[in-house]
Amino acid sequence: MTSAPSPNPMIQFSEVSKVYPGGIEALNQLTFQIDKGEMVFLAGHSGAGKSTLLKLIAGIERANRGTVTVNGQNLSKMHPTELAYLRQHIGLIFQDHKILFDRTVHENVLLPLEIIGFDRREAAKRVRAALDKVGLLNKEKMNPVRLSGGEQQRLCIARAVVHRPAILLADEPTGNLDRAYAQDIMELFKSFHQVGVTIVISAHDEILMREYGQRTIRLSQGKLG
Amino acid sequence: MQRFFYLHLRAASQALRTLLQQPLSSLLGLAMLGLAVALPVCLYLLVSSAQQWSQGLTVKPEITVFMELNAERTDVVVVDEHLRQHKLIADYEFISREQALKVLLEKQNLQDIGQALGGNPLPDAFIIRPKELTPEQMEQLAVELSHLPLVENTQFDAGWARKLAQILAVLQHFTLVLGASLAVTLLLVTHNMIRMQILAHRDAIEVSKLIGAPNPFIRRPFLYLAVWQGGIAAALGWGLAQAFIATLNPLIADFAALYHSQAELHSLNLEESALLVVSIIGLSCLTAAWTCTRLLRKLEPR
């Protein structure tokens, strides 16, 4: 499902194609847009191109053809350092969490604020607020290895939202969780959506997506389905 | 601006923590670098002190021109005229063979032998003090004067000083080579240390890049690590060199006293010490920057 052109786009794809080395075509001529403050699901089977699409939005990968525009900035024309600064305004939630196990829960969530250069006291306050939001405040001094899968996912969410990004990109955030945990996570996203954050969630749980009744972009073999 | 200083302060303290987290391996690495710094510094101090000492010893070089024994007064006058007009000669003194014999017999208390000789075996001589000349020019002048009529030979009195200067020049060159070896050692050790640190923090670097850390942010703690390492190694090297001087100076003073002379090794002065520290820190920093740039390019987020 595609949306009609809007005067208030946060993310715009215009005839975007992505081919990986070896000729593997991940995305083919994609054109769509996501508005500011919108919450969108990305649906499709494994290998449909959902993760690639999220990586293109975050500037982790670059399109081979077409233009990806985020908040009015054409990513294909940006220098890697500019892309890094752009990512400071994006919250990323990874399928494999990408948690650092040599740091405590608190230190993991602190990382984006350290990168931005937050004052130590203000940063600590924000970390505690983010951990409180995801229900991990009582475990802030723990090593993340001792957290359950659901808790690790919530830690990843806390790290993604601690710097209050304008965009939240989540790659299969409920993929490995049972329904109760998945609903907890979705409720968190809903609360961020309610305060105006643009959210793109890749998922394959149709029931969950229907439950939250948001727009869904369907991908099939790199094309809009 | 406040954020800039905060980020640098944090990176510097983070780098120091990295060194302190592995005290033994850090200490061993730093001790090795300190020794590598101390070796050329000690040699430099030895050479420069010896140079200063030899400059104090070297009297104005002189060339002695000995006439042949059968040279007549007219021959002496010809040589005297030539020397007076020579542009490279500052002044000279003529010592007649009679005068020389008299001085020799008086000085050595050899009057009896003088009578036994039955004649004067010494030649007329000129003692020449040239203008400021290089050792090579001195030698050329001595050769030129030896070709004057009825000149038996010439003697370059400061030859030993030239030899000493040559030995010191060789040592100076050796110091430079040793210094260059130190630079290469420092480069290799710093490169290896930064490479190991980057690989040890590979996960953190990849995650940091994914969530928006630009390369300067990631590079900064490694650069400060190189600054700490270079600074501590320079300080250790300086300290070892000072200890070396303190140990050796009494022995040198005793040795010099045997020749009624005074000698000592001097320490690095403030400018030399600052140059040592700044150049070692600078070299470490440049190596770290190059290593980071090379390796961080390979750790792009995927």
Side-chain angles (χ1 to χ4, degrees):
Chain A
M1 180 177 136
T2 56
S3 61
S6 152
N8 200 20
M10 178 60 100
I11 298 160
Q12 274 185 305
F13 271 52
S14 178
E15 305 207 338
V16 172
S17 296
K18 174 68 186 174
V19 180
Y20 283 110
I24 303 155
E25 189 178 58
L27 296 175
N28 186 5
Q29 301 268 317
L30 281 192
T31 300
F32 67 89
Q33 72 175 45
I34 296 168
D35 290 342
K36 278 183 182 162
E38 196 179 2
M39 181 165 157
V40 171
F41 284 107
L42 277 180
H45 297 293
S46 294
K50 302 189 296 291
S51 297
T52 300
L53 193 147
L54 291 176
K55 284 179 182 176
L56 286 174
I57 297 171
I60 295 168
E61 293 285 355
R62 285 186 190 262
N64 298 100
R65 280 190 304 275
T67 53
V68 179
T69 311
V70 175
N71 203 16
Q73 292 177 291
N74 184 347
L75 301 198
S76 59
K77 290 181 178 170
M78 288 173 82
H79 186 267
T81 306
E82 291 175 314
L83 286 173
Y85 284 114
L86 173 88
R87 280 200 291 277
Q88 292 180 5
H89 300 282
I90 297 175
L92 289 166
I93 296 155
F94 308 98
Q95 199 171 358
D96 56 353
H97 307 153
K98 300 217 184 286
I99 289 168
L100 299 172
F101 291 102
D102 58 345
R103 301 177 188 209
T104 63
V105 168
H106 182 101
E107 287 165 344
N108 267 278
V109 181
L110 184 67
L111 188 60
L113 302 178
E114 283 185 329
I115 291 167
I116 295 169
F118 263 70
D119 166 70
R120 187 186 290 264
R121 206 172 299 164
E122 173 65 17
K125 213 187 289 178
R126 285 221 186 177
V127 169
R128 290 173 65 81
L131 286 174
D132 192 27
K133 179 88 180 163
V134 299
L136 288 176
L137 187 55
N138 58 339
K139 297 187 175 179
E140 66 172 330
K141 287 190 171 66
M142 264 190 192
N143 187 299
V145 82
R146 292 173 60 197
L147 301 180
S148 68
E151 286 173 328
Q152 288 187 358
Q153 189 61 282
R154 281 190 276 151
L155 166 59
C156 192
I157 292 170
R159 187 181 62 191
V161 300
V162 70
H163 54 301
R164 296 174 192 163
I167 302 169
L168 200 54
L169 305 176
D171 193 4
E172 303 273 5
T174 57
N176 305 318
L177 304 177
D178 59 33
R179 181 148 291 272
Y181 274 133
Q183 272 178 333
D184 279 353
I185 301 287
M186 289 310 298
E187 285 304 317
L188 278 173
F189 287 131
K190 201 172 156 187
S191 68
F192 299 133
H193 176 224
Q194 279 163 356
V195 294
V197 179
T198 306
I199 303 175
V200 184
I201 304 167
S202 92
H204 56 257
D205 187 338
E206 293 288 343
I207 301 164
L208 205 67
M209 284 188 273
R210 269 201 301 275
E211 205 173 303
Y212 286 86
Q214 303 292 332
R215 180 159 75 98
T216 302
I217 296 172
R218 291 188 185 280
L219 289 175
S220 176
Q221 293 181 329
K223 294 178 181 173
L224 290 176
Chain B
M1 188 52 87
Q2 203 181 350
R3 178 177 175 260
F4 173 84
F5 284 118
Y6 172 69
L7 286 173
H8 277 267
L9 190 68
R10 201 180 56 194
S13 59
Q14 191 182 331
L16 188 61
R17 271 202 307 276
T18 305
L19 273 180
L20 296 176
Q21 271 164 3
Q22 298 157 323
L24 187 66
S25 66
S26 299
L27 194 69
L28 289 175
L30 288 169
M32 191 190 80
L33 280 179
L35 273 174
V37 173
L39 277 173
V41 169
C42 288
L43 197 60
Y44 165 77
L45 292 174
L46 267 174
V47 173
S48 61
S49 299
Q51 271 174 336
Q52 271 183 7
W53 179 72
S54 68
Q55 275 163 15
L57 278 183
T58 310
V59 289
K60 269 205 153 180
E62 292 175 342
I63 297 171
T64 308
V65 175
F66 295 104
M67 302 297 290
E68 286 181 12
L69 281 173
N70 58 356
E72 301 288 334
R73 283 297 116 186
T74 48
D75 301 320
V76 172
V77 170
V78 170
V79 174
D80 182 84
E81 190 61 28
H82 184 89
L83 296 179
R84 189 177 301 132
Q85 289 172 6
H86 204 293
K87 287 175 183 169
L88 296 180
I89 295 173
D91 68 283
Y92 65 93
E93 183 189 350
F94 173 68
I95 297 171
S96 68
R97 48 193 304 216
E98 295 79 18
Q99 200 183 342
L101 183 65
K102 193 179 161 199
V103 171
L104 176 73
L105 296 179
E106 277 174 8
K107 260 194 178 174
Q108 308 294 333
N109 210 9
L110 299 170
Q111 278 84 354
D112 297 341
I113 294 174
Q115 284 165 3
L117 280 173
N120 185 354
L122 300 178
D124 291 321
F126 288 92
I127 296 174
I128 294 159
R129 281 172 287 277
K131 292 177 179 168
E132 290 293 324
L133 297 179
T134 61
E136 289 74 23
Q137 288 172 317
M138 286 280 290
E139 205 157 289
Q140 276 175 10
L141 180 62
V143 171
E144 181 196 324
L145 296 177
S146 70
H147 291 131
L148 288 173
L150 289 169
V151 167
E152 174 74 41
N153 69 345
T154 56
Q155 193 176 311
F156 180 19
D157 292 340
W160 69 272
R162 190 166 59 88
K163 282 175 191 159
L164 178 63
Q166 277 174 342
I167 291 169
L168 289 177
V170 169
L171 278 175
Q172 206 166 24
H173 185 74
F174 183 63
T175 308
L176 279 176
V177 172
L178 205 63
S181 313
L182 151 78
V184 173
T185 307
L186 188 73
L187 197 138
L188 292 175
V189 170
T190 306
H191 170 71
N192 195 46
M193 180 196 67
I194 299 295
R195 192 178 67 87
M196 298 297 279
Q197 285 293 328
I198 288 178
L199 293 179
H201 293 93
R202 191 189 182 115
D203 289 346
I205 290 169
E206 281 179 350
V207 171
S208 297
K209 280 193 164 200
L210 277 171
I211 61 180
N215 276 344
F217 175 88
I218 293 168
R219 202 165 42 214
R220 205 172 291 132
F222 298 112
L223 294 187
Y224 274 106
L225 190 61
V227 168
W228 283 118
Q229 184 186 258
I232 296 171
L236 272 176
W238 185 89
L240 285 171
Q242 288 298 113
F244 170 76
I245 290 164
T247 315
L248 216 57
N249 261 342
L251 299 173
I252 289 174
D254 289 348
F255 178 76
L258 294 175
Y259 295 89
H260 306 290
S261 176
Q262 285 183 327
E264 63 168 5
L265 293 177
H266 67 80
S267 310
L268 287 178
N269 62 32
L270 192 66
E271 286 87 4
E272 288 169 331
S273 304
L275 184 69
L276 175 78
V277 174
V278 168
S279 52
I280 289 177
I281 288 179
L283 192 64
S284 303
C285 230
L286 282 175
T287 311
W290 174 74
T291 309
C292 285
T293 307
R294 207 173 63 83
L295 287 180
L296 291 183
R297 210 179 291 145
K298 293 179 185 170
L299 296 179
E300 283 304 321
R302 283 282 172 268

